[in-house]
Every structure is written in structure tokens, then in C-alpha cells.
Amino acid sequence: MFSELNSILNTSPESFKQGEFILVSDRQNDASFLIHHFLSFYLRAGCKVCFLGFVQSFSHYSAVSQRLGVSLTQAREKGQLVFLEGLKESLVVLLRGEPEVSKRSPSVDFLRDPGSGLRGLYNFVQSSVRGSEGGGADWGPPVLLVDDLSVLLSLGVSVVDMLDFSHYCRATVCSELQGGMVMLVRCEAEEEEEDSDEDSERLLRGLTHQCSLTLQVQGLPTGYCRDIHGQVEVCWRSRCDGLQNQKKLFQYKVYDKGTSFFARGTSSAVL
Amino acid sequence: MLLEVLQGTEAGGFILIQDTVKYSGRQLLKSYLNTALKREEEIVHVLGFETSEDELRDGLDKTSAQRLHFHNAYSDPLGWTANSPFTVHQFTVEDISTLLKQTPQAKAVTLVIDSLSWILRHHPPAVICQTLQALKKGGAVRTVVGLLHTDMHQRGTVGSIRHLASAHITVAPETRGMGAVAKTTRRTKSGKLMQDEQIFSINEELSVTVQSKHSHPGRSHNNTDESEVDPTANLTFNLRLSDTEREAKEKLALPFVFSKEKKSALLHPGPGSGRILYEPDANDDYDQEDPDDDLDV
């Protein structure tokens, strides 16, 4: 958890805005440090967290979280964290033969039948976020984290199915249960284009229409730099007040145990 | 013109609000809702795909909230959880008419669709166009208002929806300042197109204020203002000529005009004009072929 980012977003584990859908996107850069931030943030806040990890194994996230001071293994044992290991689950379907029908996990149904959409995955999310309601330890509002949605594009899921999936997750997690949602999307294209028909761009635009806050991680326009790892554009798409589309741009540097954010041109290497 | 469209001065038709990821048109849609609810005899039906009821009602006029009927297509639009009040597959004239009949008859019914993009994801554009056209002609609804995210669809799809609209507003962020630009196009009953571009802002009570307009009619209006001031009023010089002055002007021969006198004066130089005489010296070795032979070049 990066306290600097918390102050930028005006939030803290003790009091954060409920029902928020945060979209993290990256372009020519890596935004996974933000996923680690939100994972440790919501675990500290005592939320019931459902994590869909399609990019890395559990031990990877666990190792990074350990550095940020949160133990994923403990959280999983306590039932606070529900972790879907997308890598493992999809490998079972893709490489080895199918287990018996009763043992199949329906969460990766989209790999068995590309036409079926992400309904199975949604059912998995729904059952894990609603699980807290009936008995067991009492956790805070449920949170869904996805790292990252664009992997599903390469697994053959269509943009329409993914937007439906995120819509359902938002309706359940954000609106009904007043929780939170963080999704990561990667874009391959170098430049943002208005009419680009590329799937990842369409996915990003579709999700941007749904979300309430976007964090866009980009490389520096001037090229690689040792002391500044990139820039983040924070954009509030708030609905109620007059400040629609308020934007702020920060540069950042990722350290071993944290990240520092600063205004453009105020890096300690420059000043 | 933006305000006229939003206030519904021209009754009826299909109003399309187009936006992109850069600026959301939902605030404008809510502002339309608010003004529609303030009109006494109006009943507003909302087909909400993209926002929950709480989110939509937030900020709207509380006193007339019972005239707003929200049809929840947000929580389960595809029938996945099997408790759906309205699914996207019910977007047909028959199903919408039954929805509208649930309320007591009113003089004017407005149908707000939030948003058309959601429906376009699951229906072919032709079907949607037919449904919209049938709703317009059917008489059950006076005004249909739709929100469309243009960057989610192909240009042709957007174009065909836009052709149905009697007025369409495209919103975009303004490059400087906090406002936004709205391009409004309205088709009058005679078929005439009227276009306008205005900068607007929406405050917390959802009322729209037009800050300035840089439209073509506005510009010509400014021109007529200026022409009323005569620029020739206080000049330090004379702009007109009297008859004698004109005669004198016409008599004057300008230096570059090549008259006959000038020509003859040049060809036949009179007495007193200079001439060059050259008598070759004895030493001069004058070469007819190369007259500049003696020059030390």
C-alpha cells in the first residue's frame, strides 16, 4: 500500500469510498504495481477480497504482498481472500484431459466453449463475494480485483462478453453490495486513437464508460529514464458534482517497498 | 439552441445525446430529465442499462420523483441471475408499450434510454433503428431521448442512428477551462437543418448554463453591429473630389505614362544636350573585334 497514492486519491483503508469502480490501464509500461497496491489496501481495510489472477501465480502475489506488509496466505486461510489462480485453472483445461464433470470448475467455462461467455466466471465472483453474508467471519464490503482482463482477449473471449461480465460485476459488487472493483487492462497500441478498432482499445473505452475513476499508466513521452519510471494520469469521472473529468498527472518511481509519486518535473533527480 | 432542445420547446421527436470517453453525456441527460420532470403533465420512463436507480435519482428533483418511472435493466440485463425486471431482449415495441401502459395515462410520455450503446451490443443496428422509428410513430411516446457512446461503435452504426434523430447533441470537453462544448443539430419539421456550437457547464442542481457561443449566426450578428458605426465619419483627409479637382486630376500626366512628346524628345535630342566625341590617339591600338582589349582585367 502506497500512502502517497492514498493521499492523491483522498482515501485510506479506514475510510474509502464505497461503490467505486477503478480502472487501471497501462500503455507501454507496467501498471501491476498498482494492482499490488490495491490488493494490500483492501486487505488492510478488512474487505472481503476476490482476486482473479490471470497473469501471475499465487506465490508471486504473495511474495510481493509480503514486502508490502500483508500476508496473502493468512488472508486466504482466514477466508478474507478468495484467489482464482487463472494460470492453473486454464492449464488444466487446455493441456491435461478434463476431469469428471462434477469436479470441473465452472469459472473457466469460456475455455471449454468460447461461445458461452463469462457467465461461469461471474458466478464464481458472485458466490465468493456473497459468501461472506452467510456465517463465518464478518468481513467488510466485498472487493473484486482483476489482473488483468486483457489476457482473456488472447484466450478468445470477445470484447462484448467482457463488457457484459464487468457490467454484471459492477451491478453486483459496486451497486448492490456497495463494495469496490479494480480492473487492469493493457493496451498494445503506442498511441491512443479515437477510432481504433483494435480489441484492447475497444475494451478500454467500454470499461472507461463504466468506471468512476481511471488510473492510466504510461511511459514517459521523452523516453526511458532511470529515475522516473513513468507517469500516471488520474481521472475522476465523478457523476454527481460539477467537476466532471477532473484530471491530474503524476510521475512515479517504483521502489522495493513502495512507490513515490510527484508532480511533473519535480523528481529528486531533476531538482 | 442547446437550451431549446433540452427544455423541449419543440415537442416530440427523438433526441440523441452523443458522447465519448473524454466527456460523459450523462449529466446532460440527467439535466434533461430534471427539466422534463418539472413540467407538470409529463411522465418520464427511464430504461436504465448503465446506471442503477439510486445513481440516476441522485441529484434529481425530489418533489416530482413519483413521475419518474425507472425500469431496472441494470441489475440483470441478460437474465443471468434469473430475477430480471427487464432484459435487453425485451427491447421491442410490444414490451416497451406494456411497460408504458403500467402507468396512468398522461398527456406527454418521455422515454429515456440509458444507453443505446448497451442495447447496440446485443442487437443489430437495423433492429434498433426499426424499434426507435416505431416508437416515434406509435404515438404512445412523445419524446424519446437516447444516450450513445459514439466511440464504441462503427461510424456507420452511429450515422444510421443519428439519421433517425430530430435533434442530436455531441458533447466534448473544452480544451481550456472546466466547461464542455456541445454541437447541436436540429432538424425542423420542414426538413431544414440548424447547427450550433456552444460552450456549457452543468452545476450541482443539474441546470445547464451556456457560457458563450461561437456559432455562425452569432458571428454575422456581430457584423451588423459594427456596420452601424460609420468608419468614414471622422477622417483627417478628404475622400471625395469636387469637379474642378477632378479636372485637374485628369489633366495631370503621370510620370510613367509614355506620351508622344516624351518619345520624340528622347529620339531627337535638341541643342544643348551633351554628346561624346572620341579621337583615337596614335598609340591607341583600337581593335574593332575586341573594344575592351586595353582594359587591365
Side-chain angles (χ1 to χ4, degrees):
Chain A
M1 192 180 69
F2 315 137
S3 47
E4 280 183 47
L5 186 60
N6 285 346
S7 62
I8 288 170
L9 301 179
N10 196 15
T11 173
S12 71
E14 288 78 39
S15 70
F16 60 92
K17 201 178 154 202
Q18 295 192 330
E20 195 153 49
F21 175 10
I22 303 171
L23 179 69
V24 182
S25 65
D26 61 14
R27 197 183 291 277
Q28 291 182 291
N29 213 330
D30 187 14
S32 46
F33 68 100
L34 289 174
I35 284 292
H36 296 300
H37 158 76
F38 284 114
L39 181 59
S40 56
F41 176 89
Y42 286 118
L43 283 177
R44 273 192 200 188
C47 295
K48 168 99 185 175
V49 177
C50 173
F51 193 98
L52 309 182
F54 292 106
V55 195
Q56 300 282 0
S57 63
F58 177 77
S59 50
H60 170 87
Y61 294 108
S62 180
V64 178
S65 297
Q66 203 77 53
R67 294 201 162 225
L68 297 175
V70 177
S71 166
L72 291 196
T73 335
Q74 268 179 26
R76 189 144 88 155
E77 277 162 10
K78 280 191 285 182
Q80 188 188 4
L81 173 72
V82 181
F83 193 94
L84 176 81
E85 262 196 88
L87 290 180
K88 231 182 228 173
E89 299 265 355
S90 46
L91 206 65
V92 170
V93 180
L94 293 171
L95 293 186
R96 296 180 217 151
E98 284 278 2
E100 299 143 51
V101 180
S102 56
K103 280 186 190 166
R104 280 184 184 178
S105 90
S107 49
V108 284
D109 260 347
F110 60 91
L111 286 172
R112 297 186 187 99
D113 172 22
S116 68
L118 294 171
R119 196 170 164 176
L121 192 60
Y122 166 69
N123 286 337
F124 171 80
V125 171
Q126 196 200 17
S127 63
S128 45
V129 294
R130 282 188 203 276
S132 57
E133 289 178 341
D138 215 10
W139 300 110
V143 174
L144 171 70
L145 292 149
V146 185
D147 181 25
D148 74 70
L149 212 53
S150 17
V151 167
L152 299 183
L153 271 182
S154 12
L155 290 175
V157 183
S158 72
V159 175
V160 169
D161 285 338
M162 262 189 272
L163 292 177
D164 289 342
F165 170 71
S166 75
H167 175 95
Y168 265 90
C169 290
R170 182 176 147 230
T172 309
V173 179
C174 295
S175 300
E176 196 191 325
L177 303 171
Q178 284 297 304
M181 214 158 95
V182 180
M183 284 193 180
L184 174 64
V185 180
R186 282 162 204 250
C187 292
E188 292 109 37
E190 296 204 350
E191 283 297 312
E192 203 171 338
E193 282 170 46
E194 189 106 320
D195 296 327
S196 156
D197 254 347
E198 212 172 299
D199 277 348
S200 58
E201 297 286 328
R202 272 183 59 213
L203 178 66
L204 178 63
R205 285 199 298 260
L207 291 173
T208 313
H209 278 294
Q210 294 180 4
C211 71
S212 51
L213 168 69
T214 62
L215 298 170
Q216 288 181 52
V217 176
Q218 303 147 0
L220 284 179
T222 45
Y224 173 77
C225 173
R226 200 161 44 98
D227 294 298
I228 305 162
H229 290 156
Q231 56 185 28
V232 193
E233 193 179 73
V234 187
C235 180
W236 285 268
R237 296 173 58 83
S238 52
R239 302 144 195 166
C240 321
D241 47 10
L243 294 172
Q244 201 184 7
N245 281 12
Q246 195 196 354
K247 276 187 191 176
K248 275 182 188 170
L249 194 72
F250 297 95
Q251 293 177 333
Y252 69 88
K253 182 175 183 185
V254 183
Y255 296 99
D256 232 14
K257 287 187 177 176
T259 307
S260 66
F261 293 84
F262 36 86
R264 261 190 296 184
T266 58
S267 154
S268 54
V270 178
L271 295 179
Chain B
M1 195 154 70
L2 175 69
L3 292 176
E4 289 165 34
V5 173
L6 288 178
Q7 276 153 12
T9 38
E10 182 114 338
F14 171 39
I15 300 169
L16 185 68
I17 300 175
Q18 305 174 96
D19 68 354
T20 59
V21 286
K22 292 194 178 117
Y23 191 87
S24 168
R26 186 157 290 117
Q27 286 297 103
L28 205 61
L29 188 78
K30 281 176 81 168
S31 159
Y32 181 89
L33 267 175
N34 219 17
T35 40
L37 286 173
K38 278 184 187 144
R39 289 195 288 272
E40 276 304 313
E41 72 281 7
E42 193 132 335
I43 283 195
V44 183
H45 289 266
V46 180
L47 279 184
F49 284 92
E50 279 190 11
T51 42
S52 62
E53 183 163 6
D54 298 338
E55 219 173 289
L56 189 91
R57 283 192 191 268
D58 186 32
L60 289 183
D61 196 19
K62 294 280 186 300
T63 51
S64 46
Q66 75 278 3
R67 278 190 278 120
L68 171 75
H69 299 275
F70 185 84
H71 303 291
N72 183 359
Y74 171 71
S75 56
D76 189 11
L78 298 170
W80 283 5
T81 53
N83 56 355
S84 175
F86 191 84
T87 65
V88 72
H89 308 293
Q90 283 173 283
F91 188 75
T92 55
V93 183
E94 294 80 38
D95 282 313
I96 292 172
S97 312
T98 33
L99 275 189
L100 300 181
K101 273 178 199 149
Q102 289 170 4
T103 55
Q105 286 297 312
K107 269 188 203 165
V109 177
T110 302
L111 177 70
V112 175
I113 303 168
D114 178 18
S115 71
L116 283 168
S117 292
W118 218 102
I119 307 167
L120 273 167
R121 228 161 58 210
H122 292 278
H123 280 299
V127 174
I128 292 168
C129 288
Q130 279 165 8
T131 311
L132 286 174
Q133 185 71 9
L135 282 173
K136 229 167 86 177
K137 291 272 180 277
V141 191
R142 192 175 69 156
T143 321
V144 182
V145 188
L147 182 67
L148 182 72
H149 308 310
T150 50
D151 51 356
M152 292 303 296
H153 311 287
Q154 284 170 344
R155 216 169 277 173
T157 314
V158 176
S160 50
I161 302 271
R162 194 185 295 164
H163 273 297
L164 289 174
S166 49
H168 56 88
I169 305 165
T170 310
V171 288
E174 214 224 332
T175 40
R176 58 207 144 73
M178 298 300 288
V181 187
K183 274 185 207 161
T184 317
T185 308
R186 206 176 67 184
R187 191 179 287 124
T188 57
K189 277 186 182 133
S190 60
K192 190 185 165 198
L193 276 182
M194 282 156 60
Q195 285 186 320
D196 204 353
E197 200 174 312
Q198 287 161 320
I199 297 172
F200 71 97
S201 61
I202 303 174
N203 65 7
E204 279 170 47
E205 283 94 52
L206 290 171
S207 64
V208 176
T209 25
V210 171
Q211 288 169 346
S212 66
K213 51 187 202 171
H214 41 115
S215 56
H216 297 289
R219 203 173 295 156
S220 65
H221 180 72
N222 284 349
N223 280 354
T224 49
D225 263 4
E226 275 172 20
S227 67
E228 280 165 20
V229 182
D230 185 10
T232 62
N234 297 311
L235 288 178
T236 53
F237 51 88
N238 191 8
L239 271 181
R240 285 170 192 81
L241 294 172
S242 65
D243 287 342
T244 46
E245 278 168 338
R246 177 167 289 125
E247 249 171 61
K249 187 193 138 206
E250 277 159 7
K251 264 184 201 160
L252 187 74
L254 296 172
F256 49 81
V257 177
F258 210 65
S259 62
K260 252 185 186 167
E261 296 94 73
K262 245 187 177 172
K263 200 175 164 186
S264 59
L266 283 172
L267 286 176
H268 310 287
S273 56
R275 60 169 61 174
I276 299 168
L277 295 172
Y278 178 66
E279 279 177 40
D281 200 64
N283 293 336
D284 268 356
D285 177 22
Y286 189 75
D287 187 357
Q288 201 70 47
E289 304 261 292
D290 186 10
D292 296 329
D293 188 39
D294 56 331
L295 287 179
D296 185 23
V297 197

